[in-house]
Amino acid sequence: MTLAELTHPRQDYSYGFLDAFARRELRRRILKAIAIPGYQVPYASRELPIARGWGTGGLQATLSVAGPQDVVKVIDQGADDSVNAANLRRFIARMTGVETTTDTARATIIQSRHRVPEERLAEGQLLVLQVPDPEPLRAVQPDSSQAREMHADADYAQMWLSLYEQLVRFGRFMQGASYPVIVNRRYLMSPSPIPRWDTPALHQSAHLTILSAGREKRLYAVPPYTDVRPIEFDDVFFQVEDQAGRVCMITGAAQKFMDELPQPGGGSRFRISDTGYVEKLLAAARGEPTAIGPTYYDDQGRFWMPGVIRGRGDGDS
Amino acid sequence: MAYVAARGGERAIAASEELHGRLSGPLSGELVRAIERQLPYLVDRVMGEGSLYAPELAALALAQTGGDLYEAVLLLRAYRSTQPRIAYAQPVRQGELRTVRRISAAFKDIPGGQILGPSLDYSHRLLKLGVLDGQNVELGMLNVELPSEQETSSADEHSAFNIQHSTLPAVADWQRAEGLLEPLPAGEPADPAGLPDVTREPISFPAPRAHRLQSLARADTGGVLALGYASMRGYGMSHPTVNELRLGYAELTLRHPVTGVAFSAGRVRVSQAEVVDTGAGKPGESPLRLGFTATIGWNEVKTIAGAMLDLEMSAPDPHPAHREEFVLYHTEPVESSGFCIHYKLPHYVTFGSALDNLRKAAGEGRREGETLPEATPSAGEAK
């Protein structure tokens, strides 16, 4: 036996890129975040070889928990094949040796920018959402020290006020994506810029969600089976984006979150935003054996868990 | 390597990077050495913002990015974040700096003297067009006798910064002795390993002084200048004077892990600026207040503007653009530039979500005379 045999082969970078101290810090912060659902935990946030603001928060969370046995899916705006998703996936695979997939059901870790997949996530799955701005109060209080005090006091009056103002001015709530939610009846939380269509998927979910903002150095979590409620009034309800009348030009499916594609002569066509789901629908249409999991919304646009979305006249309330 | 879902996107990435590389030409060790030797101020700026003193790596980063400053800084930072802490250097005192340039605007003369040193301050900003016609502009053609009796820095023997230097007392020491400034805290300087470290822990506000000075040291030069200039031009509460500006070499002193003997591991270029505020003396307090910024590398604009911002941030009720949180968050070069360019990423999901609201508001919910909202009310939405 020689000394060379006993030593590790040379590595340019640590496993998962992050050094052991950074990894330990992240894991501890993640545990704290899970213990206090919706609470923003500050962390040091190391620089990664990816531009800041391009998913470095999600990336640090993924890199700190991924092991060789994991199967990772990365999506951006619902798409596996966008350049940014491809780039992050390439980096994660290069640094951890994980298997990668586009199949939501097979993935143990799903890192996503701005979407939750259409197929329902299950126990044991981890959804990592990239977060540009962790502070749901930023629009009403840009000073982060004061916003922290407001969270400590659960003082969210200004949010209700802004909701009311929207109602008075426009006759409806005008918040698009990043619709603020109350987690576990305590903390106001930004669910990251997922569309409102995806917000109910976080409520009493079987999976764990970690939300991580690398640039802003904050991470927070929604543990499995935790209440996540969009802010709304008792008589005016939160509404998801209306997908009625939209048919996917590729699969012919309806009542999934659609990308709108403007057409040269005017008007629009639509395609399902979740490309992994589209792949499965196409495979099934070709008669290939495909296991399509249950989805959050059925073909009539009804959310799977009754009573969660109150602002729809589709009978599930 | 496990199965990777190879898609069109990955080929596009490779081709795009290749094209970028071809436009800036081949990389070579020669190019890197030329940048390191002949563009020291650029190398210094990248090292300062990258917060890693490594002239060769900074030159490589500049060469590799075709001179894109923010990309070069990010390269250096990403490399830095993989490096372990081997040891902590001993604190450097101002008076021990091997100073090559040192200016005080507060006094006509100061103990140790004013030293103009290397500078373009009094140069005529004329392009040396003759160079384009093949004329060589060499150092020495000015026929200026440079003093040579002082020792030269061995660490920088082959660099463009091979300049005489001397150790000089701090101007502030004299002011402290005169009772014009608060005395320094008594006792030994803090244990370097125990200092709050902004690269290892998140910053929160009000920030520890160490975090503030570290953030300024690695801040974006342009950003610090913009906010600092706003203060100088009239939005500031203070009316500072440059007490002392210094460029020099700091001895990197380590203690041997076994014997405990202090030794020098080399010298690094550093710059620092101290400004004094003459307008805010309260009864019972020292009449002058100090603002301070230091950085690795020689960067006069950043240290002067940073020192003024340091004063502003400590003022009781600064202008919103000079509050600590505002200054430190918004002058972070890697975060600000990264977030700026992230707007190139697709945002069609968030845009679609906003469009849903706008169409609905335009249809049902709109009242008589109400116009379509130009943007969604929440600023935090489509990022």
Side-chain angles (χ1 to χ4, degrees), chain A residues 32-99:
Chain A
K32 179 169 180 178
I34 292 169
I36 316 173
Y39 170 73
Q40 297 170 46
V41 183
Y43 69 108
S45 189
R46 304 298 166 93
E47 279 98 353
L48 299 180
I50 303 284
R52 268 285 209 253
W54 291 57
T56 54
L59 207 48
Q60 287 178 82
T62 300
L63 291 173
S64 68
V65 298
Q69 76 293 342
D70 274 306
V71 181
V72 172
K73 172 182 167 81
V74 183
I75 49 175
D76 186 332
Q77 314 282 299
D80 295 272
D81 57 354
S82 89
V83 270
N84 192 42
N87 193 34
L88 294 176
R89 180 171 51 238
R90 199 168 58 123
F91 184 70
I92 295 166
R94 186 170 164 186
M95 290 297 160
T96 60
V98 295
E99 186 184 345

Coordinates of all heavy atoms in Angstrom, one line a residue, chain A residues 32-99:
Chain A
K32 N -33.5 25.4 10.6 CA -34.2 26.5 11.3 C -35.4 27.0 10.5 O -36.5 27.2 11.1 CB -33.2 27.7 11.6 CG -33.9 28.8 12.3 CD -32.8 29.8 12.8 CE -33.5 31.0 13.5 NZ -32.6 32.0 14.0
A33 N -35.2 27.1 9.2 CA -36.3 27.6 8.4 C -37.5 26.7 8.4 O -38.7 27.1 8.5 CB -35.9 27.8 6.9
I34 N -37.2 25.4 8.4 CA -38.3 24.4 8.5 C -39.0 24.4 9.9 O -40.2 24.3 10.0 CB -37.7 23.0 8.2 CG1 -37.2 22.9 6.8 CG2 -38.8 21.9 8.5 CD1 -36.4 21.6 6.5
A35 N -38.2 24.7 10.9 CA -38.8 24.8 12.2 C -39.7 26.0 12.4 O -40.6 26.0 13.3 CB -37.6 24.8 13.3
I36 N -39.4 27.1 11.7 CA -40.2 28.3 11.8 C -40.8 28.6 10.4 O -40.3 29.4 9.7 CB -39.4 29.5 12.3 CG1 -38.5 29.1 13.5 CG2 -40.4 30.6 12.7 CD1 -37.6 30.2 13.9
P37 N -41.9 27.9 10.0 CA -42.4 28.0 8.7 C -42.6 29.5 8.3 O -43.3 30.2 9.0 CB -43.7 27.2 8.7 CG -43.6 26.3 9.9 CD -42.7 27.0 10.9
G38 N -42.1 29.8 7.1 CA -42.3 31.1 6.5 C -41.4 32.2 7.1 O -41.4 33.3 6.5
Y39 N -40.6 31.9 8.1 CA -39.7 32.9 8.6 C -38.4 33.0 7.8 O -37.8 32.0 7.5 CB -39.4 32.6 10.1 CG -38.3 33.4 10.7 CD1 -38.5 34.7 11.1 CD2 -37.0 32.9 10.9 CE1 -37.5 35.5 11.6 CE2 -35.9 33.6 11.4 CZ -36.2 34.9 11.8 OH -35.2 35.7 12.3
Q40 N -38.0 34.2 7.5 CA -36.8 34.4 6.7 C -35.5 34.3 7.5 O -35.3 35.1 8.4 CB -36.8 35.8 6.0 CG -38.0 36.0 5.0 CD -38.1 37.5 4.6 OE1 -37.0 38.1 4.3 NE2 -39.2 38.0 4.7
V41 N -34.8 33.3 7.2 CA -33.5 33.0 8.0 C -32.4 33.6 7.2 O -32.1 33.3 6.0 CB -33.3 31.5 8.2 CG1 -32.0 31.3 9.0 CG2 -34.5 30.9 8.8
P42 N -31.6 34.6 7.8 CA -30.5 35.1 7.1 C -29.3 34.1 6.9 O -29.2 33.3 7.8 CB -30.0 36.3 8.0 CG -31.1 36.5 8.9 CD -31.8 35.2 9.1
Y43 N -28.6 34.1 5.8 CA -27.4 33.2 5.7 C -26.4 34.0 4.9 O -26.6 35.0 4.3 CB -27.8 31.9 5.1 CG -28.2 31.9 3.7 CD1 -27.3 31.3 2.7 CD2 -29.4 32.3 3.3 CE1 -27.7 31.3 1.4 CE2 -29.8 32.3 1.9 CZ -29.0 31.7 1.0 OH -29.3 31.7 -0.3
A44 N -25.1 33.5 5.0 CA -24.0 34.2 4.5 C -24.1 34.3 3.0 O -23.8 35.3 2.4 CB -22.7 33.6 4.9
S45 N -24.5 33.2 2.3 CA -24.7 33.2 0.9 C -23.3 33.4 0.1 O -22.9 34.5 -0.1 CB -25.7 34.2 0.4 OG -26.0 34.1 -1.0
R46 N -22.7 32.3 -0.2 CA -21.4 32.4 -0.9 C -21.6 32.8 -2.4 O -22.6 32.5 -3.0 CB -20.7 31.0 -0.9 CG -20.5 30.5 0.5 CD -19.6 31.4 1.3 NE -19.7 31.1 2.7 CZ -18.8 30.3 3.3 NH1 -17.8 29.8 2.6 NH2 -18.9 30.1 4.6
E47 N -20.6 33.4 -3.0 CA -20.6 33.6 -4.4 C -20.4 32.3 -5.1 O -19.6 31.5 -4.7 CB -19.5 34.6 -4.8 CG -19.8 36.0 -4.6 CD -19.3 36.6 -3.3 OE1 -18.7 35.8 -2.5 OE2 -19.4 37.8 -3.1
L48 N -21.1 32.0 -6.2 CA -21.0 30.8 -7.0 C -20.6 31.2 -8.4 O -20.6 32.4 -8.7 CB -22.4 30.1 -7.0 CG -23.0 29.7 -5.7 CD1 -24.3 29.0 -6.0 CD2 -22.1 28.7 -5.0
P49 N -20.1 30.3 -9.2 CA -19.7 30.6 -10.5 C -20.9 30.9 -11.5 O -20.8 30.6 -12.7 CB -18.9 29.4 -11.0 CG -18.8 28.5 -9.8 CD -19.9 28.9 -8.9
I50 N -22.0 31.3 -10.9 CA -23.2 31.7 -11.7 C -23.5 33.1 -11.2 O -23.3 33.4 -10.1 CB -24.4 30.8 -11.3 CG1 -24.0 29.3 -11.5 CG2 -25.6 31.2 -12.0 CD1 -24.1 28.8 -12.9
A51 N -24.0 33.9 -12.2 CA -24.2 35.3 -11.8 C -25.3 35.4 -10.7 O -26.2 34.7 -10.6 CB -24.7 36.1 -13.0
R52 N -25.0 36.4 -9.8 CA -26.0 36.6 -8.7 C -27.3 37.1 -9.3 O -27.3 37.9 -10.2 CB -25.4 37.8 -7.8 CG -24.6 37.3 -6.7 CD -25.5 36.8 -5.6 NE -24.9 36.9 -4.3 CZ -24.3 36.0 -3.6 NH1 -24.3 34.7 -4.0 NH2 -23.8 36.2 -2.4
G53 N -28.4 36.6 -8.7 CA -29.7 36.9 -9.3 C -30.2 36.0 -10.3 O -31.2 36.1 -10.9
W54 N -29.3 34.9 -10.6 CA -29.7 33.9 -11.6 C -30.0 32.6 -11.0 O -29.8 31.5 -11.6 CB -28.5 33.8 -12.6 CG -28.4 35.0 -13.5 CD1 -28.2 36.3 -13.1 CD2 -28.4 35.1 -14.9 NE1 -28.1 37.1 -14.2 CE2 -28.3 36.4 -15.3 CE3 -28.6 34.1 -15.9 CZ2 -28.3 36.8 -16.6 CZ3 -28.6 34.5 -17.2 CH2 -28.4 35.9 -17.6
G55 N -30.3 32.6 -9.7 CA -30.6 31.3 -9.1 C -29.6 30.8 -8.1 O -29.6 29.6 -7.8
T56 N -28.7 31.7 -7.7 CA -27.7 31.3 -6.8 C -28.2 30.9 -5.4 O -27.6 30.1 -4.7 CB -26.6 32.3 -6.6 OG1 -27.2 33.6 -6.2 CG2 -25.8 32.6 -7.9
G57 N -29.3 31.4 -5.0 CA -29.9 31.0 -3.7 C -30.5 29.6 -3.8 O -30.1 28.8 -3.0
G58 N -31.3 29.3 -4.8 CA -31.8 28.0 -5.0 C -30.6 27.0 -5.2 O -30.6 25.9 -4.6
L59 N -29.6 27.4 -5.9 CA -28.5 26.6 -6.2 C -27.7 26.2 -4.9 O -27.4 25.0 -4.7 CB -27.5 27.3 -7.1 CG -26.6 26.5 -8.0 CD1 -27.3 25.4 -8.8 CD2 -25.9 27.5 -9.0
Q60 N -27.6 27.1 -4.0 CA -26.9 26.8 -2.7 C -27.7 25.8 -1.9 O -27.2 24.9 -1.3 CB -26.6 28.1 -1.9 CG -25.5 28.9 -2.5 CD -25.3 30.2 -1.8 OE1 -24.6 30.2 -0.7 NE2 -25.9 31.3 -2.2
A61 N -29.0 26.0 -1.9 CA -29.9 25.1 -1.2 C -29.8 23.7 -1.8 O -29.6 22.7 -1.1 CB -31.3 25.5 -1.2
T62 N -29.9 23.6 -3.1 CA -29.8 22.3 -3.8 C -28.4 21.6 -3.6 O -28.3 20.5 -3.2 CB -30.0 22.5 -5.3 OG1 -31.3 23.0 -5.5 CG2 -29.9 21.2 -6.0
L63 N -27.3 22.4 -3.7 CA -26.0 21.9 -3.6 C -25.7 21.4 -2.2 O -24.9 20.5 -1.9 CB -24.9 22.9 -4.0 CG -24.9 23.3 -5.5 CD1 -23.9 24.4 -5.7 CD2 -24.5 22.1 -6.3
S64 N -26.4 22.1 -1.2 CA -26.1 21.7 0.2 C -26.8 20.5 0.7 O -26.5 19.9 1.7 CB -26.4 22.9 1.1 OG -27.8 23.1 1.2
V65 N -27.9 20.1 -0.1 CA -28.6 18.9 0.4 C -28.5 17.7 -0.6 O -28.8 16.6 -0.2 CB -30.2 19.2 0.6 CG1 -30.3 20.2 1.7 CG2 -30.8 19.7 -0.7
A66 N -28.1 18.0 -1.8 CA -28.0 16.9 -2.8 C -26.9 15.9 -2.5 O -25.8 16.2 -2.0 CB -27.8 17.5 -4.2
G67 N -27.2 14.6 -2.8 CA -26.2 13.6 -2.6 C -26.2 12.8 -3.9 O -27.1 13.0 -4.8
P68 N -25.3 11.9 -4.1 CA -25.1 11.1 -5.3 C -26.4 10.3 -5.7 O -26.6 10.0 -6.9 CB -23.9 10.2 -5.1 CG -23.3 10.7 -3.8 CD -24.3 11.5 -3.1
Q69 N -27.2 10.0 -4.7 CA -28.4 9.2 -5.0 C -29.6 10.0 -5.5 O -30.6 9.4 -5.9 CB -28.8 8.3 -3.8 CG -29.5 9.1 -2.7 CD -28.6 10.2 -2.0 OE1 -27.3 10.1 -2.1 NE2 -29.2 11.2 -1.4
D70 N -29.4 11.3 -5.5 CA -30.5 12.2 -5.9 C -30.8 12.2 -7.4 O -29.9 12.0 -8.2 CB -30.3 13.6 -5.3 CG -30.8 13.7 -3.9 OD1 -32.0 13.4 -3.6 OD2 -30.0 14.1 -3.0
V71 N -32.0 12.5 -7.7 CA -32.4 12.7 -9.1 C -32.9 14.2 -9.2 O -33.9 14.5 -8.4 CB -33.5 11.7 -9.6 CG1 -33.8 12.0 -11.0 CG2 -33.0 10.3 -9.3
V72 N -32.3 15.0 -10.0 CA -32.6 16.4 -10.0 C -33.3 16.9 -11.3 O -32.9 16.4 -12.4 CB -31.3 17.2 -9.7 CG1 -31.6 18.7 -9.9 CG2 -30.8 16.9 -8.3
K73 N -34.3 17.7 -11.1 CA -35.0 18.3 -12.2 C -34.8 19.8 -12.0 O -35.0 20.3 -10.9 CB -36.5 17.9 -12.2 CG -37.4 18.6 -13.2 CD -38.8 18.2 -13.1 CE -39.8 19.1 -13.8 NZ -39.9 18.8 -15.2
V74 N -34.5 20.5 -13.1 CA -34.4 22.0 -13.0 C -35.3 22.6 -14.1 O -35.2 22.2 -15.2 CB -32.9 22.5 -13.2 CG1 -32.8 24.0 -13.1 CG2 -32.0 21.8 -12.3
I75 N -36.1 23.5 -13.7 CA -37.0 24.2 -14.6 C -36.9 25.7 -14.4 O -36.6 26.2 -13.3 CB -38.5 23.8 -14.5 CG1 -39.0 23.8 -13.1 CG2 -38.7 22.4 -15.1 CD1 -40.4 23.5 -12.9
D76 N -37.1 26.4 -15.5 CA -37.2 27.9 -15.5 C -38.5 28.3 -16.2 O -38.6 27.9 -17.4 CB -36.0 28.5 -16.2 CG -35.9 30.0 -16.1 OD1 -37.0 30.6 -16.0 OD2 -34.8 30.5 -16.1
Q77 N -39.4 29.0 -15.6 CA -40.7 29.3 -16.2 C -41.4 28.0 -16.6 O -42.2 28.0 -17.6 CB -40.5 30.2 -17.5 CG -39.6 31.4 -17.3 CD -40.2 32.5 -16.5 OE1 -41.2 33.1 -16.9 NE2 -39.6 32.8 -15.4
G78 N -41.2 26.9 -16.0 CA -41.8 25.7 -16.3 C -41.1 24.8 -17.3 O -41.4 23.7 -17.5
A79 N -40.1 25.4 -17.9 CA -39.4 24.7 -19.0 C -38.1 24.1 -18.5 O -37.2 24.7 -17.9 CB -39.1 25.6 -20.2
D80 N -37.9 22.8 -18.9 CA -36.6 22.1 -18.6 C -35.5 22.5 -19.6 O -34.3 22.4 -19.3 CB -36.8 20.6 -18.8 CG -37.8 20.0 -17.7 OD1 -37.3 19.7 -16.6 OD2 -39.0 19.9 -18.1
D81 N -35.9 22.9 -20.8 CA -35.0 23.1 -21.8 C -34.6 24.6 -22.1 O -33.9 24.9 -23.0 CB -35.5 22.5 -23.2 CG -36.8 23.2 -23.6 OD1 -37.4 23.9 -22.8 OD2 -37.3 22.9 -24.7
S82 N -35.0 25.5 -21.2 CA -34.5 26.9 -21.3 C -33.0 26.9 -21.0 O -32.5 26.1 -20.3 CB -35.3 27.8 -20.4 OG -34.7 27.9 -19.2
V83 N -32.3 27.9 -21.6 CA -30.9 28.0 -21.4 C -30.5 28.1 -19.9 O -29.5 27.5 -19.5 CB -30.2 29.1 -22.2 CG1 -29.8 28.6 -23.6 CG2 -31.1 30.3 -22.3
N84 N -31.3 28.9 -19.2 CA -30.9 29.0 -17.8 C -31.1 27.8 -17.0 O -30.2 27.4 -16.2 CB -31.7 30.2 -17.2 CG -31.2 30.6 -15.8 OD1 -30.0 30.7 -15.6 ND2 -32.1 30.8 -14.8
A85 N -32.2 27.1 -17.2 CA -32.4 25.8 -16.5 C -31.3 24.8 -16.9 O -30.8 24.1 -16.1 CB -33.8 25.2 -16.9
A86 N -31.0 24.8 -18.2 CA -30.0 23.8 -18.7 C -28.6 24.1 -18.1 O -27.9 23.2 -17.7 CB -29.9 24.0 -20.2
N87 N -28.3 25.4 -17.9 CA -27.1 25.8 -17.3 C -27.0 25.4 -15.9 O -26.0 24.9 -15.4 CB -26.9 27.3 -17.5 CG -25.5 27.8 -17.2 OD1 -24.6 27.1 -17.5 ND2 -25.4 28.9 -16.6
L88 N -28.0 25.7 -15.1 CA -28.0 25.3 -13.7 C -28.0 23.8 -13.5 O -27.2 23.2 -12.7 CB -29.3 25.8 -13.0 CG -29.4 27.4 -12.9 CD1 -30.7 27.8 -12.2 CD2 -28.2 27.9 -12.1
R89 N -28.7 23.1 -14.4 CA -28.7 21.6 -14.3 C -27.3 21.0 -14.6 O -26.8 20.1 -13.9 CB -29.7 21.0 -15.3 CG -29.8 19.5 -15.3 CD -31.0 19.0 -16.1 NE -31.0 19.6 -17.4 CZ -31.9 20.3 -17.9 NH1 -33.0 20.6 -17.3 NH2 -31.8 20.9 -19.1
R90 N -26.7 21.6 -15.6 CA -25.3 21.2 -16.0 C -24.4 21.4 -14.8 O -23.5 20.6 -14.5 CB -24.9 22.1 -17.2 CG -23.8 21.7 -18.0 CD -23.8 22.5 -19.3 NE -23.6 24.0 -19.0 CZ -22.6 24.7 -19.4 NH1 -21.7 24.2 -20.2 NH2 -22.6 26.0 -19.1
F91 N -24.5 22.5 -14.1 CA -23.6 22.8 -13.0 C -23.9 21.9 -11.8 O -22.9 21.4 -11.2 CB -23.8 24.3 -12.6 CG -22.9 24.7 -11.5 CD1 -21.5 24.9 -11.7 CD2 -23.3 24.9 -10.2 CE1 -20.6 25.2 -10.8 CE2 -22.4 25.3 -9.2 CZ -21.1 25.4 -9.5
I92 N -25.2 21.7 -11.5 CA -25.5 20.8 -10.4 C -25.0 19.4 -10.7 O -24.3 18.7 -9.8 CB -27.0 20.7 -10.1 CG1 -27.5 22.1 -9.7 CG2 -27.4 19.7 -9.1 CD1 -29.0 22.3 -9.7
A93 N -25.2 18.9 -11.9 CA -24.7 17.5 -12.2 C -23.2 17.4 -12.2 O -22.6 16.5 -11.7 CB -25.3 17.2 -13.6
R94 N -22.6 18.5 -12.7 CA -21.1 18.5 -12.7 C -20.5 18.5 -11.3 O -19.5 17.9 -11.1 CB -20.7 19.8 -13.5 CG -19.2 20.0 -13.8 CD -19.2 21.2 -14.7 NE -17.8 21.7 -14.8 CZ -17.5 22.8 -15.5 NH1 -18.5 23.5 -16.1 NH2 -16.3 23.3 -15.6
M95 N -21.1 19.2 -10.4 CA -20.6 19.3 -9.0 C -21.0 18.2 -8.1 O -20.4 18.0 -7.0 CB -21.0 20.7 -8.5 CG -20.3 21.8 -9.1 SD -18.5 21.8 -8.9 CE -17.9 22.8 -10.3
T96 N -22.1 17.5 -8.4 CA -22.6 16.5 -7.5 C -22.7 15.1 -8.1 O -22.9 14.1 -7.3 CB -24.0 16.9 -6.9 OG1 -24.9 16.9 -8.1 CG2 -24.0 18.2 -6.2
G97 N -22.7 15.0 -9.4 CA -22.8 13.7 -10.0 C -24.2 13.1 -10.0 O -24.4 11.9 -10.2
V98 N -25.2 13.9 -9.7 CA -26.6 13.4 -9.6 C -27.1 13.1 -11.0 O -26.6 13.6 -12.0 CB -27.6 14.5 -9.0 CG1 -27.2 14.8 -7.5 CG2 -27.6 15.8 -9.8
E99 N -28.1 12.2 -11.0 CA -28.8 11.9 -12.2 C -29.8 13.1 -12.4 O -30.3 13.7 -11.4 CB -29.6 10.6 -12.0 CG -30.3 10.2 -13.3 CD -31.1 8.9 -13.0 OE1 -30.9 8.2 -12.0 OE2 -32.0 8.6 -13.9

